[in-house]
Amino acid sequence: MTAKKIVFVGAGSVVFTQGLLADLFSFPELQNARIALHDIDPERLATAEGAARFIAAERGAAPVVTAHADRREALEGADFVINIVQVGMRESTRTDFEVPARHGLRQTIGDTLGIGGIFRALRTFPLLKALGEDIAAVCPDAWLLNYTNPMAMNVQYLTRATGLTRVVGLCHSVYWTIHDLSALLGVPQDEVRYHAAGVNHQAWVLSLEHQGVDLYPGLDALIAEDEQLRRRVRVDMYRRLGYYPTETSEHSSEYVPWYLHHDSEISRLRLPVGAYLDIVDENTAVYERTRAALAAGRPLPVESTMEYAPQIIHSITTGVPRTVYGNVPNRGLIGNLPAEGTVEVPCLVDGTGVRPTRIGELPPQLAALNRTYLSTNDLVVRAAVDDEPRHIRHAAMTDPATAASLTVEQIWDLCDDMVRAHGELLQPSLRATLGH
């Protein structure tokens, strides 16, 4: 079998890179892969290379590992491109929280919708455009597997702005939701049959069964008995909407107008405002520990992560069929959501590639929330594609949590402050401050 070339763009996200490599090398057919690592930070790139070589040796694999400061050089001849870039890194993430907080806006994660998601997208789009141009030039048949958030905005932008068609956005939220529900219900995860669909971080478990028995009544009974379970946003949403959401309570609270604006709801549902900043600090600490361990010749504690990208690569390479959850252009997959929006649906993967499953229509209450989410996404993408800075403000005005917390004038003032704060990370046409 010809060795496949797998490129990591943003390989300096060392912790995530390590998990993906551990997954890849668990497949015998991929142990001789050509692994090309790219990052613009020389220290992080060197750390990623050292970690890759350690993991390969630890797994008994014999890949060809190369490190590249030049992205196009890394992409030459690629079969698969895994994008894990975070533009602006820790400093920009702090900006995404600290500036809105000064305006009275609460966020928990800030990477998908809301002001944090909007500006994370806007500073990522220039990178995505350049990456798309490089892929079209040097590896046009490669599959681009995107992990970078905001997932749905990024996939929609890639589709609109680059013309690439072999693009799939990947997220572990559906898998871990089923994992956690299986544990809660006391049934083996590998025996659970389920179906989910919606949008990234706001998809829904449409069916959940074990040996032909619906598991939802059992979940209802557990929730009725346990007050602490009822003190979680996703459980609160499930009880009111009838279907369990596929992301954490911290994430889910940001995509609706009902929770973060109210002190009582933050207390009732135990919402950790600003939680993502702690996660960022911990990721930085883990990176430093990894770098120190490599420098000292100490072993790295690396575990498999069950991520979808290695499974997709294995299935396309070997023809072994699998079902994964992917984020792809809708185009009729979910009939009551916008055609140009990015949806999260089951996808069949085999030697022919990735083929999304048509779902039909979502229950109307679920589609209503997803449509609002996709409307905000569409305005952010249009801001960049059409060079229209007013659409940034329009997107913020339609965002549920932002609109529930701030007046229109406050939203425009906040957007101006965010544009100033992110400065040259935005494309030039979007750097204008507009006032009101």
Side-chain angles (χ1 to χ4, degrees):
M1 184 177 295
T2 304
K4 297 298 183 182
K5 183 172 183 180
I6 304 165
V7 180
F8 287 74
V9 177
S13 300
V14 173
V15 177
F16 203 45
T17 298
Q18 288 180 89
L20 290 170
L21 287 170
D23 287 348
L24 285 167
F25 297 149
S26 70
F27 295 113
E29 299 91 343
L30 301 178
Q31 291 189 340
N32 68 335
R34 294 179 293 153
I35 304 296
L37 307 171
H38 163 68
D39 204 278
I40 61 173
D41 183 320
E43 180 193 274
R44 281 184 169 266
L45 180 59
T47 302
E49 182 182 8
R53 296 188 186 282
F54 172 85
I55 295 165
E58 195 265 345
R59 291 291 197 270
V64 175
V65 178
T66 56
H68 307 264
D70 183 275
R71 183 177 60 227
R72 188 167 286 202
E73 177 185 89
L75 290 168
E76 188 74 44
D79 297 291
F80 302 94
V81 180
I82 300 176
N83 179 40
I84 49 178
V85 169
Q86 183 180 350
V87 175
M89 296 291 286
R90 183 182 187 182
E91 294 75 17
S92 289
T93 299
R94 288 202 169 277
T95 296
D96 286 344
F97 278 87
E98 291 173 355
V99 174
R102 291 201 296 268
H103 286 258
L105 184 64
R106 293 162 169 160
Q107 299 177 100
T108 49
I109 305 296
D111 70 352
T112 300
L113 278 184
I115 294 298
I118 289 169
F119 280 88
R120 181 180 283 232
L122 293 173
R123 64 177 183 266
T124 303
F125 289 168
L127 174 279
L128 295 180
K129 187 173 180 62
L131 175 60
E133 290 170 351
D134 286 350
I135 290 173
V138 302
C139 55
D141 294 328
W143 283 92
L144 175 55
L145 307 177
N146 178 70
Y147 276 104
T148 297
N149 283 321
M151 180 65 67
M153 292 187 204
N154 287 342
V155 171
Q156 184 174 346
Y157 178 82
L158 280 162
T159 303
R160 286 283 300 277
T162 72
L164 296 180
T165 57
R166 291 187 165 188
V167 177
V168 184
L170 301 176
C171 176
H172 50 222
S173 62
V174 173
Y175 171 85
W176 286 108
T177 294
I178 301 304
H179 173 278
D180 293 349
L181 285 174
S182 299
L184 181 64
L185 291 161
V187 295
Q189 183 180 0
D190 60 359
E191 296 179 9
V192 172
R193 298 292 173 261
Y194 63 94
H195 199 52
V199 295
N200 182 239
H201 291 175
Q202 199 188 61
W204 315 93
V205 180
L206 301 176
S207 65
L208 186 69
E209 297 181 352
H210 179 242
Q211 297 179 348
V213 176
D214 183 1
L215 290 174
Y216 265 137
L219 179 60
D220 293 340
L222 288 174
I223 292 170
E225 295 169 0
D226 189 339
E227 180 186 359
Q228 297 308 308
L229 271 180
R230 297 194 296 273
R231 294 184 64 200
R232 301 299 294 157
V233 163
R234 69 197 310 197
V235 172
D236 194 72
M237 290 178 64
Y238 162 60
R239 294 175 69 204
R240 300 172 192 281
L241 298 169
Y243 296 86
Y244 202 77
T246 61
E247 247 306 341
T248 64
S249 293
E250 291 77 12
H251 274 284
S252 295
S253 68
E254 294 189 308
Y255 316 143
V256 294
W258 312 317
Y259 301 115
L260 285 170
H261 182 55
H262 304 285
D263 293 342
S264 59
E265 292 296 83
I266 288 174
S267 174
R268 177 176 75 92
L269 299 168
R270 299 175 291 173
L271 281 168
V273 175
Y276 192 65
L277 293 178
D278 293 334
I279 297 172
V280 170
D281 289 342
E282 176 58 23
N283 287 342
T284 302
V286 172
Y287 164 74
E288 294 296 344
R289 291 196 294 270
T290 299
R291 186 168 66 89
L294 289 168
R298 297 194 303 271
L300 300 177
V302 179
E303 298 181 359
S304 295
T305 59
M306 300 300 294
E307 288 290 349
Y308 287 137
Q311 297 179 53
I312 289 173
I313 292 169
H314 183 260
S315 288
I316 292 177
T317 300
T318 65
V320 173
R322 283 186 177 85
T323 297
V324 303
Y325 277 79
N327 293 272
V328 294
N330 185 18
R331 295 171 183 163
L333 297 172
I334 300 179
N336 50 353
L337 295 184
E340 291 188 353
T342 300
V343 295
E344 190 165 63
V345 296
C347 298
L348 175 64
V349 191
D350 58 21
T352 66
V354 180
R355 286 176 283 151
T357 301
R358 187 179 183 278
I359 299 299
E361 293 198 347
L362 292 177
Q365 70 276 24
L366 309 183
L369 292 177
N370 286 172
R371 281 196 297 268
T372 299
Y373 173 119
L374 291 177
S375 293
T376 302
N377 284 6
D378 188 61
L379 286 163
V380 178
V381 172
R382 288 178 183 273
V385 171
D386 299 340
D387 295 312
E388 177 49 84
R390 292 173 64 89
H391 284 335
I392 300 174
R393 285 78 179 168
H394 299 154
M397 289 165 63
T398 66
D399 174 72
T402 304
S405 300
L406 303 180
T407 67
V408 175
E409 184 170 339
Q410 289 170 335
I411 291 171
W412 281 57
D413 289 342
L414 170 55
C415 288
D416 279 355
D417 280 353
M418 290 292 284
V419 166
R420 294 186 191 99
H422 284 300
E424 294 185 0
L425 292 177
L426 308 180
Q427 65 193 57
S429 62
L430 300 181
R431 296 175 190 170
T433 55
L434 302 182
H436 51 273

